[in-house]
Amino acid sequence: MSKTNIILTGFMGTGKSTLGRLLAVKLGYRFVDTDQLIEAQIGQSIAELFAQQGEAAFRRLEAELVEDLAQKSRLVIATGGGLVLNPDNVTTLARTGLIFCLTALPQEILERISCQQQIRPLLQDPDPLARIKELLEKRGPSYRQFPQISTSGVDLEQLLAELLQRIGLDV
Ligand code: S3P
């Protein structure tokens, strides 16, 4: 399998899906979002799945999906923010493509997700900003293993250009 997939990971609200869609159009690749694929598969929202079966059940579905996606090529994959916390997922995805980690400042993450906070079970907290900072701190070592692309204060066109340059393509 040649390494043709492009995988965008990073914390919630860092723009993985937004940038991933644009990138896919630019490259003529198919765009997939792991959360959306899981929701379609189970016929439930991620929030419902967390509430009814717990986070571990969700993580198992993520790992199964990774195995499935790793059989495919020419994909832009936006991962759920916690998918790369499982090293097996990283090993499998890294065999199929390049992985980049999008980053953003905690305050900006909060602003971006505030209208959709209820769909993110891990941020159901009376103090979401503190929760974001705590999770970022805890997840730092996992996220930092990938090339970082900061999305704070950068517009989408600039981001896309930077990503294409990092991939080694100036489309
Ligand atoms: C999660 C991020 C979410 C979703 C789930 C868990 C996480 O995806 O997979 O709520 O652990 O960071 P987004 O990063 O697309 O919001």
Side-chain angles (χ1 to χ4, degrees):
M1 157 81 57
S2 59
K3 288 189 155 205
T4 59
N5 294 333
I6 304 293
I7 299 118
L8 301 182
T9 193
F11 199 74
M12 294 168 258
T14 52
K16 297 164 297 218
S17 300
T18 310
L19 186 59
R21 272 193 198 90
L22 278 182
L23 180 67
V25 170
K26 201 80 173 174
L27 297 177
Y29 280 19
R30 184 176 152 220
F31 171 75
V32 295
D33 172 312
T34 59
D35 287 345
Q36 280 178 5
L37 290 177
I38 289 172
E39 287 181 335
Q41 181 194 338
I42 62 176
Q44 261 187 328
S45 70
I46 304 291
E48 285 165 343
L49 175 66
F50 266 67
Q52 289 171 23
Q53 297 184 50
E55 182 174 349
F58 171 67
R59 299 300 175 196
R60 276 194 296 277
L61 291 175
E62 275 190 323
E64 283 169 24
L65 179 59
V66 163
E67 292 298 330
D68 182 40
L69 292 177
Q71 308 304 316
K72 302 185 166 80
S73 54
R74 295 173 66 86
L75 294 180
V76 174
I77 303 171
T79 79
L83 185 143
V84 294
L85 304 178
N86 177 341
D88 292 340
N89 290 344
V90 175
T91 306
T92 305
L93 285 178
R95 275 202 289 267
T96 81
L98 300 174
I99 308 179
F100 295 91
C101 179
L102 305 188
T103 67
L105 297 170
Q107 184 61 43
E108 202 161 333
I109 290 173
L110 180 63
E111 283 156 23
R112 290 182 194 171
I113 57 119
S114 54
C115 57
Q116 297 180 314
Q117 198 183 328
Q118 72 288 354
I119 68 167
R120 293 185 164 94
L122 294 179
L123 298 180
Q124 300 302 312
D125 193 286
D127 187 348
L129 185 59
R131 180 78 176 132
I132 289 168
K133 288 179 179 168
E134 179 196 325
L135 283 173
L136 280 173
E137 175 78 22
K138 210 187 302 176
R139 294 177 173 192
S142 296
Y143 289 149
R144 281 195 294 270
Q145 64 186 309
F146 310 110
Q148 310 279 293
I149 298 184
S150 168
T151 66
S152 280
V154 189
D155 74 36
L156 266 176
E157 282 304 318
Q158 279 174 285
L159 271 179
L160 185 60
E162 182 181 348
L163 190 50
L164 287 167
Q165 199 185 28
R166 299 265 206 114
I167 295 168
L169 288 170
D170 280 310
V171 180

